Amino acid sequence: MSAMSLSNNNNNNNNNPSSSTTSSFESRTVKLAVLAREQGEGMGARVRRSIGRPELRTLDPFLMLDEFRVALPAGFPDHPHRGFETVSYIHPDSEGIFTHEDFKGNKGNIGPGDLQWMTAGRGIVHSEVPLDRKVCRGLQLWINLKSSDKMCEPRYQEFLAKDIATAENDGISVRIIAGEAFGVTAPTQTKTPTTFYHFKIPANKKLEQKIDSSFNSFAYIFSGEGYFGKEKTHCKSFFTIAFNRDGKDGLYVETKDSPVEFVLISGKPLGEEVAWHGPFVMNKREELMEAFQDYQMGRNGFEGASRWRSQNGRRCGR
Ligand code: FJE
Ligand code: FE
């Protein structure tokens, strides 16, 4: 508990070194650094899988992180989800736009810098398809839900680029997708406690970022290169860096000649059994079978699922 209150009171560490609450900063160490190569997914889409690749199957509570680059006719047409949250974040420099539709009639566009935080809960069937032939680039993160949240009512939180919390400190900029950085807190509500930061660090800078000492944490590099963790491990574009918990509540990153752009994602581990098949993530095998049956029969949250066809899905595969 003391570590938590310390991290909350101590977020101005960087710009106020003389603050009386400042503790000596200790960074986590690097557990694993691994390159995310491109692979095929969905309908003709290309993704770099970060969490979820063979060397890094899961990092509790995170199930998957994909960096996607997708343009029509590729996409992710009609498919279900149950038992977790999907976070879709379009890169601010993306040329293209994503469109989404679900079986309850929700639909919209997610453009450059926009965020959709979808809690699938007991069931969502939807279609995620680029608007046109411009390449849409971004991240999709899958966050597991605890047993008692898996069958919750589905929920969307959507934030336009202009409404995403941002902060800057000594030339380092951060877009705060969830959680708190540089004293600024995002409005995003997360069922599973999660923080998600998009940092840009210019050359020759140092960053000390607080992370709750109980959270698992990793970084994924969009571009550039930097030196991560206590041992200052050199990493570049498309690397995922998983950190040890080490009982530490901070992460150190520095740059030399080059800037670096990355996301830092951390979450409270659930410590529960995982029974996972494709779009359904439950605790027990029997619950997975129920999920398949519910989806097929259109019940327990999947009402109407089998009759529904998206409009935007028709643009896919042609
Ligand atoms: C999925 C295969 C999939 N990464 N990145 C199986 F590809 C998907 C899926 C996605 C996805 C969607 C977007 Cl918009 C971005 C993604 C995988 O939809 F859900 C299953 N089950
Ligand atoms: Fe999906």
Side-chain angles (χ1 to χ4, degrees):
M1 208 57 215
S2 63
M4 240 166 101
S5 42
L6 199 74
S7 71
N8 287 339
N9 297 336
N10 207 19
N11 50 42
N12 287 325
N13 206 1
N14 289 335
N15 42 16
N16 191 8
S18 62
S19 157
S20 58
T21 58
T22 299
S23 64
S24 64
F25 183 90
E26 274 201 276
S27 176
R28 294 181 177 207
T29 56
V30 171
K31 175 160 73 182
L32 179 73
V34 59
L35 178 65
R37 288 193 186 81
E38 258 195 343
Q39 62 185 73
E41 246 320 347
M43 182 85 92
R46 304 293 293 171
V47 304
R48 290 183 186 273
R49 183 147 298 164
S50 159
I51 303 297
R53 58 180 312 97
E55 306 91 328
L56 202 53
R57 274 279 169 232
T58 63
L59 187 69
D60 189 10
F62 304 112
L63 300 161
M64 189 196 84
L65 178 73
D66 279 356
E67 183 188 10
F68 55 80
R69 277 164 210 271
V70 187
L72 280 183
F76 303 91
D78 310 16
H79 62 277
H81 294 285
R82 173 182 280 182
F84 58 102
E85 301 189 288
T86 69
V87 178
S88 304
Y89 174 52
I90 309 302
H91 194 283
D93 302 332
S94 174
E95 304 258 315
I97 292 173
F98 243 103
T99 69
H100 69 93
E101 289 176 24
D102 80 8
F103 76 138
K104 298 181 189 222
N106 301 302
K107 60 167 78 179
N109 293 344
I110 325 174
D114 296 349
L115 171 69
Q116 180 192 71
W117 198 291
M118 185 186 85
T119 307
R122 61 213 300 255
I124 283 289
V125 186
H126 72 169
S127 172
E128 300 156 286
V129 173
L131 181 66
D132 54 29
R133 290 188 179 263
K134 291 194 197 110
V135 175
C136 183
R137 171 159 83 99
L139 295 176
Q140 186 163 101
L141 175 68
W142 289 11
I143 311 173
N144 205 358
L145 288 167
K146 67 172 186 282
S147 162
S148 57
D149 282 338
K150 283 188 178 293
M151 293 299 280
C152 74
E153 197 59 36
R155 170 176 86 177
Y156 287 95
Q157 298 173 77
E158 292 192 335
F159 298 96
L160 295 175
K162 67 176 174 57
D163 298 323
I164 297 225
T166 60
E168 198 174 314
N169 189 355
D170 187 31
I172 300 175
S173 70
V174 61
R175 305 185 84 235
I176 306 154
I177 307 305
E180 179 268 307
F182 297 162
V184 177
T185 304
T188 322
Q189 292 176 37
T190 71
K191 289 257 178 198
T192 303
T194 301
T195 64
F196 185 151
Y197 312 122
H198 176 182
F199 279 107
K200 277 187 177 180
I201 311 183
N204 300 304
K205 297 283 183 190
K206 299 176 192 315
L207 168 69
E208 292 181 348
Q209 175 59 44
K210 286 281 178 185
I211 299 169
D212 188 298
S213 60
S214 71
F215 285 14
N216 280 329
S217 186
F218 71 100
Y220 173 78
I221 304 180
F222 277 129
S223 67
E225 53 191 290
Y227 298 80
F228 287 77
K230 190 175 179 193
E231 57 283 74
K232 301 182 187 173
T233 304
H234 177 246
C235 289
K236 56 185 182 14
S237 301
F238 316 134
F239 269 78
T240 304
I241 311 143
F243 303 104
N244 289 306
R245 274 212 296 274
D246 294 332
K248 302 289 193 307
D249 66 354
L251 178 71
Y252 182 78
V253 184
E254 70 174 43
T255 53
K256 292 184 179 168
D257 299 339
S258 306
V260 69
E261 179 183 356
F262 63 99
V263 290
L264 175 62
I265 300 175
S266 313
K268 191 184 177 70
L270 303 174
E272 293 181 2
E273 279 180 273
V274 177
W276 178 0
H277 192 94
F280 305 126
V281 184
M282 305 303 288
N283 299 110
K284 306 266 183 211
R285 225 182 89 84
E286 301 78 68
E287 296 167 335
L288 264 190
M289 317 264 279
E290 275 166 28
F292 274 95
Q293 283 163 8
D294 287 349
Y295 176 50
Q296 243 165 16
M297 312 285 286
R299 63 186 185 207
N300 290 327
F302 285 118
E303 284 75 11
S306 54
R307 267 171 284 127
W308 179 75
R309 297 286 178 280
S310 67
Q311 292 293 316
N312 66 359
R314 298 162 190 242
R315 301 201 301 264
C316 261
R318 289 188 295 180

